[in-house]
């Protein structure tokens, strides 16, 4: 998809479809829309709005042919909904749905669209364009790598119509940023969707290395022998039942004079069978996605290294496969984590926290201002919050609230779950410092409490995307399947 922006009279556009936005509670045309209407002999006001009765309901569309080459073969109205509910998140959702709509209509290679709802005065042209471009890219994503018949109805060109030179300038900036983020999201989704047969720890670490070479970012990959020397014992235990060698990756982006140092950690289980505590077939079905945290932080690095904020960013992921075999770690095994604390293995399916424990300890050595881990960690978070709200917890209210607010602006919902010291009780072991599972109550919080034993950071947040990383049915701008949940929020958080 190729995006452009131009300050232009809409009547002079040359496109297969030209789209304009109409509010439900204010159908008066803007001056630019009025000029277009005049050039089209009142087609919009008389025919589409009066006779067809277009209501402007959120994401509703109506499309009719003009039998003209200029401004466009077809004119499409899209409903923006009520003005008071309008937001950037709504813009993204509308454009995601437009992308799919365009693909359904024949000969829609060349699309033009005005900057939607700019007259609401809720945001500037740059923010509007950014939300639009991200929406188009999210809506147009599909994973057809393994289909012999590829999708051929893809939109080739989208031209965004600005009303002033200033708007055009801002729109151009918005497009550049959004394309970086949209491409990072596609990269993350591709990694999550990739079958575990191919997305092995080694394959993912090679992809990370390749990406870093292109970005000019440093990338270190550690193998099993090195990790043994580095005492990543809890992590290595999880991977020991698999034929695939575990890998640990450490990516570093650093600006000239960074004002902040952030560590991002992504859970990287390339397949979670549960291990000897094997999962029922149904629960195992989507477990190739148990490296979504890793895919997300790699995507964030991809975006950040191109947007180049004045910070130092470290991205860490411990990659391995959790499998049952003769060499698997077992119930009752006692592991000595990298920080020296001992853990009794109570359940081999609570493997994510074991891998994250050692990475959190490694992160301590980096002395960062903030540490954020993101993981498909618990089924309990899916029960508590469903597939469209991400769980967040940690030890710093300000940081958590800022992450929640950042997500809200973008349309990625986060909800805080509590961690209290008493929860350590549930993790008591008779023979070790702790065990890796608690009772079945408050499962997500207890997992968070477990992780807290392995970080010294005073600014630590843990994000549980078990429900939101991969969804059963489409939601707002998101298609079903991999969502790249929190990539936009984390990127925006780091940039601010
Ligand atoms: N990877 C799973 C969590 C998960 C569940 C991710 C559903 C995506 C969708 C994790 O490793 C796991 O198995 N957690 C267990 C923990 C339990 C054994 C304490 C769970 O939630 O059942
Ligand atoms: Mn598991
Ligand atoms: Zn898991």
């Amino acid at each position: 998809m190729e995006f452009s922006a131009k300050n232009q009279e809409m009547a002079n556009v040359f496109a297969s479809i030209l789209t304009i936005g109409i509010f439900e509670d204010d159908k008066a045309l803007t001056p630019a829309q009025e000029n277009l209407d005049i050039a089209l002999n009142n087609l919009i006001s008389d025919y589409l709005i009066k006779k067809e009765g277009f209501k402007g309901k959120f994401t509703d569309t109506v499309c009719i042919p003009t039998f003209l080459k200029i401004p466009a073969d077809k004119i499409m109205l899209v409903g923006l909904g009520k003005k008071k509910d309008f937001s950037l998140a709504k813009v993204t959702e509308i454009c995601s749905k437009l992308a799919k709509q365009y693909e359904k209509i024949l000969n829609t290679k060349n699309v033009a669209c005005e900057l939607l709802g700019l007259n609401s005065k809720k945001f500037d042209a740059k923010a509007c364009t950014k939300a639009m471009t991200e929406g188009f890219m999210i809506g147009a994503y599909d994973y057809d790598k393994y289909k012999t018949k590829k999708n051929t109805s893809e939109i080739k060109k989208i031209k965004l119509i600005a009303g002033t030179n200033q708007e055009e300038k801002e729109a151009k900036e918005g497009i550049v940023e959004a394309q970086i983020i949209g491409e990072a999201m596609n990269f993350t989704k591709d990694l999550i969707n990739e079958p575990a047969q191919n997305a092995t720890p080694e394959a993912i670490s090679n992809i990370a290395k390749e990406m870093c070479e292109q970005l000019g970012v440093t990338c270190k990959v550690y193998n099993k022998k090195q990790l043994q020397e580095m005492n990543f014992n809890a992590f290595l235990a999880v991977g020991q039942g698999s034929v695939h060698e575990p890998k640990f990756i450490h990516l570093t982006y650093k600006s000239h004079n960074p004002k902040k140092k952030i560590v991002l950690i992504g859970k990287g289980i390339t397949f979670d069978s549960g291990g000897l505590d094997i999962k029922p077939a149904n629960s195992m079905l989507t477990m190739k996605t148990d490296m979504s945290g890793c895919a997300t932080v790699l995507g964030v690095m991809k975006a950040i290294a191109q947007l180049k904020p004045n910070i130092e960013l470290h991205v860490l992921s411990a990659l391995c496969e959790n499998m049952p075999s003769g060499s698997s770690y077992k119930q009752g095994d006692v592991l000595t984590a990298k920080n020296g604390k001992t853990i009794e293995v109570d359940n081999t399916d609570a493997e994510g926290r074991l891998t994250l424990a050692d990475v959190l300890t490694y992160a301590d050595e980096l002395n960062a201002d903030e540490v954020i881990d993101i993981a498909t960690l618990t089924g309990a978070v899916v029960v508590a919050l469903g597939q469209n709200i991400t769980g967040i917890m940690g030890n710093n209210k300000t940081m958590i609230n800022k992450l929640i607010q950042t997500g809200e602006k973008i349309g990625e919902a986060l909800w805080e779950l509590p961690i209290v010291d008493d929860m350590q009780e549930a993790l008591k072991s008779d023979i070790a410092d702790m065990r890796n599972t608690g009772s079945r109550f408050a499962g997500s919080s207890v997992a968070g409490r477990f992780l807290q034993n392995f970080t010294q950071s005073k600014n630590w947040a843990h994000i549980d995307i078990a429900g939101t990383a991969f969804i059963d049915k489409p939601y707002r701008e998101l298609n079903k399947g991999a969502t790249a949940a929190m990539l936009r929020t984390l990127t925006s958080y780091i940039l601010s």
Side-chain angles (χ1 to χ4, degrees), residues 22-25 27 48-49 52-58 60 79 81:
I22 304 286
F23 279 109
E24 187 177 348
D25 48 356
K27 289 200 228 10
L48 289 174
I49 296 181
E52 281 275 288
F54 183 72
K55 297 247 176 2
K57 284 216 160 52
F58 184 61
D60 270 6

Side-chain angles (χ1 to χ4, degrees), residues 267 269 272 274 279 283 286-287 289-290 322 347 349-353 376-380 382 436-439 465-467:
K267 172 173 169 181
I269 301 295
D272 182 11
K279 287 180 184 292
S283 311
T286 56
M287 282 303 133
T289 70
D290 213 21
N322 186 21
N347 190 315
D349 198 12
E351 83 298 337
R353 64 195 75 181
T376 47
L377 203 64
T378 62
V382 198
N436 72 331
T437 62
S439 70
I465 51 169

Side-chain angles (χ1 to χ4, degrees), residues 198-224:
N198 296 331
T200 59
E202 187 179 6
I204 295 177
S205 57
N206 285 337
I207 290 169
K209 250 194 277 179
E210 207 175 289
M211 176 187 92
C212 289
E213 266 160 39
Q214 286 167 8
L215 295 170
V217 163
T218 46
C219 178
K220 272 200 198 156
V221 179
Y222 297 90
N223 63 24
K224 185 172 168 185

Side-chain angles (χ1 to χ4, degrees), residues 158-432:
I158 299 188
K159 183 173 175 182
L160 302 173
I161 311 299
T164 64
N165 285 336
Q166 173 64 20
E167 279 178 23
E168 176 184 304
K169 185 178 153 274
E170 287 182 34
K172 285 190 167 141
E173 291 167 9
I175 288 173
V176 172
E177 282 182 28
Q179 275 193 295
I180 288 172
I181 290 165
E183 272 157 27
M185 287 181 81
N186 291 349
F187 167 82
T188 293
K189 291 179 191 177
D190 282 349
L191 270 177
I192 296 171
N193 283 321
E194 185 71 51
Q197 79 196 112
N198 296 331
T200 59
E202 187 179 6
I204 295 177
S205 57
N206 285 337
I207 290 169
K209 250 194 277 179
E210 207 175 289
M211 176 187 92
C212 289
E213 266 160 39
Q214 286 167 8
L215 295 170
V217 163
T218 46
C219 178
K220 272 200 198 156
V221 179
Y222 297 90
N223 63 24
K224 185 172 168 185
K225 192 164 159 278
Q226 293 167 312
L227 292 164
Q228 281 165 338
E229 281 156 19
M230 291 156 78
N231 284 316
F232 274 67
N233 305 318
F235 165 49
L236 289 173
V238 173
Q240 76 191 29
S242 167
V243 296
H244 298 293
E245 191 190 348
K247 302 278 179 189
F248 170 64
I249 55 176
H250 178 169
L251 287 60
T252 312
Y253 159 86
K254 194 174 174 183
S255 70
H256 285 305
N257 197 4
K259 63 174 201 306
K260 199 174 181 186
K261 192 198 260 195
I262 301 178
V263 178
L264 287 184
I265 301 171
K267 172 173 169 181
I269 301 295
T270 59
F271 188 75
D272 182 11
S273 68
L276 290 175
D277 279 296
I278 196 160
K279 287 180 184 292
N282 238 336
S283 311
M284 216 188 288
L285 217 46
T286 56
M287 282 303 133
K288 69 170 184 184
T289 70
D290 213 21
M291 35 56 77
S292 296
C294 171
T296 306
V297 295
L298 289 179
V300 172
M301 178 58 96
K302 189 175 165 73
I304 290 295
Q306 294 173 77
L307 295 167
K308 298 191 168 45
N310 194 16
I311 58 137
E312 181 174 334
L313 175 67
H314 295 264
V315 158
L316 312 175
S317 185
L319 289 151
C320 73
E321 194 180 52
N322 186 21
M323 294 294 275
S325 78
S327 60
S328 295
Y329 77 137
K330 296 175 279 290
Q331 295 83 343
D333 281 359
V334 175
L335 316 174
T336 305
K338 185 168 166 58
N339 72 350
K341 291 189 185 171
T342 57
I343 308 161
E344 183 185 6
V345 177
D346 195 56
N347 190 315
T348 61
D349 198 12
E351 83 298 337
R353 64 195 75 181
L354 294 171
T355 66
L356 292 171
D358 285 344
V359 184
L360 283 165
T361 303
Y362 177 91
D364 278 342
E365 293 165 16
L366 298 170
N367 264 317
D369 299 300
E370 293 183 358
V371 176
I372 304 174
D373 76 73
I374 175 163
T376 47
L377 203 64
T378 62
V381 84
V382 198
V383 175
L385 302 177
Q387 290 197 311
N388 307 314
I389 301 175
T390 294
I392 182 166
M393 57 204 95
N395 58 13
N396 181 318
K397 268 268 181 233
T398 320
M399 193 177 153
I400 290 172
N401 287 339
K402 204 181 150 202
L403 280 158
I404 293 173
Q405 280 155 18
T406 307
E408 204 163 84
K409 272 191 221 132
I410 288 159
E412 294 196 301
L414 286 147
W415 200 268
E416 188 185 357
L417 297 171
I419 298 180
V420 295
D421 288 346
D422 290 352
M423 287 169 175
Q424 192 66 30
E425 277 296 302
L427 293 167
K428 268 208 168 136
S429 157
D430 290 337
I431 63 163

